[in-house]
Amino acid sequence: MPGLYLHIPFCRKACTYCDFHFSTSVKGREAVLDAMELELVRRAHEVGDAPVATIYFGGGTPSSLEPARIAAFIQQARDLFRVERDAEVTLEANPDDVTGTSLAAWREAGITRLSLGTQSFRDDRLKWMGRAHDAEQALRSIALIAKAGFTTWTIDLVYGLPGMTLAEWDEQLTIALDHGMPHLSAYCLTVEARTALAHQVEKHLVQMPGDAEQSAQFDRLMERMEQAGLDHYEISNFGRPGHYSRHNTSYWEGVPYLGIGPSAHSFNGRERRWNVANNAIYTKAVVEGASFWESETLTPAQRTNERLMTGLRTTKGVDVAALEIDALRVNARALQRYLDEGHLLLVEGRLALTKAGRHFADRIASDLFVADDDR
């Protein structure tokens, strides 16, 4: 069952580490949103009569939109597609946008799940990240969401920050757990090209922590979440039963999805498509009926490698029989090495990482990759 993703490319501030497409200017905002509605109409045939199980507003900062605009997108989706009655409808929200009034409006609009961009509960960290909210707003927004009656919700935290100690990370996890969150997405800070963080690292203004420090924080994360009863169902995601992200799980399982908006990606099972990451170019092209995207048809090897990369990130692992190319035979030596080292398990036709192997997920997956001439 396909999912629908809408990329809202507007933010109040630029975060130090972010390499997603966004603009801090509201110039042309309504024109971009109108173009997104038009793109959605023109591409509705790509979904056809398939039931839509999830809708996800990402960005950018979708919570900066007026609730009426969010409601209009949801209604449009319901008019165009066969959206399931119990569809998961997620809105990414920043703490500074969360009020009792906004929460009520989002629920009325049809949002069933909130993803709160907390990132940290320390003012010094939030200021360094370039976030628009402070620690008090983060805590207040969590308390408001917990009482607002949403089906489920999640918060984001970042570890592997410059100078972060294990004690600081423990403190962050304790605060999150004490506030009863049913789901956590925890990401290790990475240096992405063309970001403020990349510039700071290049100029030696910031020193990133080493692998040992990041690994220790990841181990503590897994330990604390297990103790609290949250399932580690994907490398960066932990949830209580019934609170997993259905939309993101579809990505990891290779389910088709339709992406709308500047820079949004789509996947139909065999072809990937990505829209231009420029608001003005996107808007003009949509209005004029011109091309505003690029696409590629994935080869059997590429589809096999994507299944390995995304599947190994999950605790369910990879269904070996579903691989188009027998990667385990092609890479038998690498497979055996990781099995012997205790980093992989192969049980009843499924290949999965062990807890120790989760530290090396990308490396292990890439060592199992195949080429198109592998058969």
Side-chain angles (χ1 to χ4, degrees), residues 13-18 117-133 156-162 164 168-169 172 187 189 196-197 200:
K13 296 180 67 177
C15 294
T16 305
Y17 51 82
C18 182
T118 311
Q119 316 309 354
S120 177
F121 297 110
R122 289 180 49 156
D123 284 334
D124 58 337
R125 293 298 192 185
L126 292 169
K127 183 177 180 180
W128 177 79
M129 291 182 196
R131 302 295 293 173
H133 68 278
D156 290 351
L157 287 178
V158 180
Y159 63 98
L161 296 167
M164 176 178 264
E168 178 187 339
W169 182 226
Q172 297 294 296
Y187 303 102
L189 183 66
L197 176 59
Q200 292 173 3

Side-chain angles (χ1 to χ4, degrees), residues 162-179:
M164 176 178 264
T165 64
L166 204 55
E168 178 187 339
W169 182 226
D170 248 332
E171 172 199 59
Q172 297 294 296
L173 295 173
T174 296
I175 294 171
L177 290 169
D178 284 350
H179 283 76

Side-chain angles (χ1 to χ4, degrees), residues 193-211:
R194 297 183 297 279
T195 62
L197 176 59
H199 174 77
Q200 292 173 3
V201 171
E202 181 183 353
K203 298 298 182 181
H204 304 290
L205 301 174
V206 166
Q207 183 176 352
M208 293 295 292
D211 291 343

Side-chain angles (χ1 to χ4, degrees), residues 8-66:
I8 310 300
F10 300 100
C11 290
R12 292 188 181 87
K13 296 180 67 177
C15 294
T16 305
Y17 51 82
C18 182
D19 71 336
F20 292 161
H21 170 64
F22 67 92
S23 172
T24 55
S25 170
V26 297
K27 181 179 180 180
R29 191 183 77 157
E30 294 307 309
V32 171
L33 299 175
D34 289 344
M36 290 176 62
E37 291 184 352
L38 184 55
E39 182 191 2
L40 193 53
V41 170
R42 289 177 176 169
R43 299 184 64 193
H45 67 278
E46 297 179 32
V47 174
D49 194 45
V52 173
T54 63
I55 301 172
Y56 194 103
F57 289 87
T61 309
S63 59
S64 65
L65 293 188
E66 295 78 7

Side-chain angles (χ1 to χ4, degrees), residues 94-336:
N94 278 359
D96 45 305
D97 291 324
V98 176
T99 65
T101 301
S102 65
L103 289 167
W106 292 335
R107 283 198 68 196
E108 179 67 23
I111 299 298
T112 66
R113 179 177 183 269
L114 288 176
S115 178
L116 187 66
T118 311
Q119 316 309 354
S120 177
F121 297 110
R122 289 180 49 156
D123 284 334
D124 58 337
R125 293 298 192 185
L126 292 169
K127 183 177 180 180
W128 177 79
M129 291 182 196
R131 302 295 293 173
H133 68 278
D134 59 26
E136 182 181 351
Q137 287 175 311
L139 293 172
R140 184 170 63 247
S141 63
I142 290 175
L144 288 170
I145 291 171
K147 297 177 182 178
F150 284 87
T151 304
T152 188
W153 52 280
T154 181
I155 68 172
D156 290 351
L157 287 178
V158 180
Y159 63 98
L161 296 167
M164 176 178 264
T165 64
L166 204 55
E168 178 187 339
W169 182 226
D170 248 332
E171 172 199 59
Q172 297 294 296
L173 295 173
T174 296
I175 294 171
L177 290 169
D178 284 350
H179 283 76
M181 45 122 208
H183 187 283
L184 171 70
S185 295
Y187 303 102
C188 185
L189 183 66
T190 56
V191 181
E192 304 291 351
R194 297 183 297 279
T195 62
L197 176 59
H199 174 77
Q200 292 173 3
V201 171
E202 181 183 353
K203 298 298 182 181
H204 304 290
L205 301 174
V206 166
Q207 183 176 352
M208 293 295 292
D211 291 343
E213 294 167 283
Q214 293 177 337
S215 290
Q217 290 169 23
F218 184 52
D219 278 332
R220 184 60 55 85
L221 169 67
M222 291 191 287
E223 176 189 350
R224 293 292 305 276
M225 293 304 107
E226 182 177 2
Q227 291 172 349
L230 275 75
D231 300 331
H232 192 183
Y233 71 102
E234 193 271 344
I235 292 291
S236 301
N237 288 273
F238 305 78
R240 300 190 188 281
H243 293 276
Y244 298 2
S245 169
R246 290 164 55 191
H247 186 85
N248 289 337
T249 296
S250 294
Y251 288 159
W252 304 318
E253 293 180 348
V255 175
Y257 57 91
L258 179 66
I260 301 296
S263 82
H265 286 230
S266 303
F267 177 60
N268 65 10
R270 291 190 171 271
E271 182 183 73
R272 288 208 176 278
R273 164 174 162 163
W274 54 98
N275 291 349
V276 62
N278 181 292
N279 291 355
I281 294 174
Y282 166 83
T283 302
K284 185 173 186 293
V286 172
V287 170
E288 295 178 354
S291 174
F292 54 89
W293 68 87
E294 295 181 66
S295 63
E296 67 171 339
T297 299
L298 302 181
T299 67
Q302 288 173 317
R303 290 193 293 270
T304 297
N305 294 342
E306 287 202 1
R307 279 294 183 92
L308 287 166
M309 178 64 77
T310 58
L312 284 177
R313 292 187 62 86
T314 69
T315 52
K316 290 175 62 175
V318 178
D319 180 359
V320 175
L323 298 176
E324 294 183 57
I325 298 177
D326 189 351
L328 305 195
R329 179 188 58 80
V330 172
N331 298 295
R333 184 174 298 178
L335 170 66
Q336 192 59 53

